[in-house]
Amino acid sequence: APLQAIPPLLRELGVEPSSVLERVGIDQGVLADATNRVPFGLVGRLLDECAAASSCPHFGLLVGIRSGPAAAGIAGKLVIHAESVHAALRLFIAHLHLHDRGGVVALNPHGAEDVELSYLIHHPNTPGTAQILDASIAIACSVMRCLCGARWTPSEVMLSRERPRMVGPYRSFFRAPIRFDAPRSALVFPARSLG
């Protein structure tokens, strides 16, 4: 589902999607149906190729922003029916494997009063890791804004990618302090938000 945002985004950035998909070895028809599966490593290669072809190093972030909670498949749909943010995130974590087999979401304490919602990739040598993590944390932030309101912001965003040349797109979307080169990619926010 999140890959469906790629062709229109490439066109907006002046790149013909078919040329990028062909270089990576993905048939354009595969992206037409959100239920189609693409191997996780191939997704990473695709995002890396898109970032290079468009000269947009934050391409994964843009894919995540455009995809929103719907990109998480059934896990993204279940959250709106929960009685609390904590219950919604437990549902999200428990069902994401139905949609995403390359990574895992975790909710853990972060200090005395905060929690962190993180996304970890199973295989650290996956191509396009930075792009995948950018997209995933943007999707997680969209899920939180779906649950807590559009004005919700994390206390901090941790990204386990090296600091890009342009940090403006990250600041604009997350509206929070961002720590690059972090040990993991996560949203940090007050535990009281779980209620």
Side-chain angles (χ1 to χ4, degrees):
L3 303 182
Q4 290 186 305
I6 290 176
L9 182 54
L10 282 172
R11 283 188 200 96
E12 285 177 32
L13 296 171
V15 178
E16 177 52 44
S18 60
S19 64
V20 176
L21 293 170
E22 186 177 302
R23 281 196 298 275
V24 177
I26 297 176
D27 181 276
Q28 195 161 358
V30 170
L31 302 186
D33 184 353
T35 62
N36 284 339
R37 290 191 177 271
V38 177
F40 198 72
L42 194 55
V43 170
R45 283 187 35 227
L46 173 60
L47 289 171
D48 260 357
E49 185 64 34
C50 289
S54 64
S55 299
C56 180
H58 56 280
F59 191 86
L61 175 73
L62 296 178
V63 168
I65 291 169
R66 294 210 176 183
S67 300
I74 190 72
K77 292 178 180 151
L78 286 173
V79 298
I80 61 171
H81 301 290
E83 67 274 4
S84 69
V85 173
H86 192 230
L89 293 177
R90 284 197 330 259
L91 283 169
F92 187 77
I93 291 165
H95 293 90
L96 187 65
H97 73 280
L98 298 171
H99 181 75
D100 180 344
R101 304 245 171 135
V104 63
V105 176
L107 183 66
N108 292 305
H110 182 94
E113 297 180 9
D114 293 333
V115 293
E116 66 178 52
L117 182 63
S118 59
Y119 181 83
L120 307 159
I121 294 176
H122 292 303
H123 301 288
N125 296 327
T126 300
T129 296
Q131 299 295 328
I132 293 170
L133 291 171
D134 283 357
S136 300
I137 295 302
I139 291 167
C141 189
S142 294
V143 167
M144 289 300 295
R145 287 178 178 156
C146 174
L147 296 170
C148 300
R151 295 177 61 191
W152 181 87
T153 58
S155 306
E156 179 185 23
V157 177
M158 300 188 321
L159 295 171
S160 59
R161 61 156 13 255
E162 66 180 42
R163 183 183 180 89
R165 283 180 293 115
M166 292 176 41
V167 297
Y170 295 87
R171 287 186 179 134
S172 175
F173 176 68
F174 291 115
R175 304 185 311 255
I178 300 166
R179 181 169 29 133
F180 293 99
D181 296 305
R184 68 196 149 277
S185 291
L187 301 173
V188 178
F189 56 92
R192 67 179 179 273
S193 300
L194 295 174

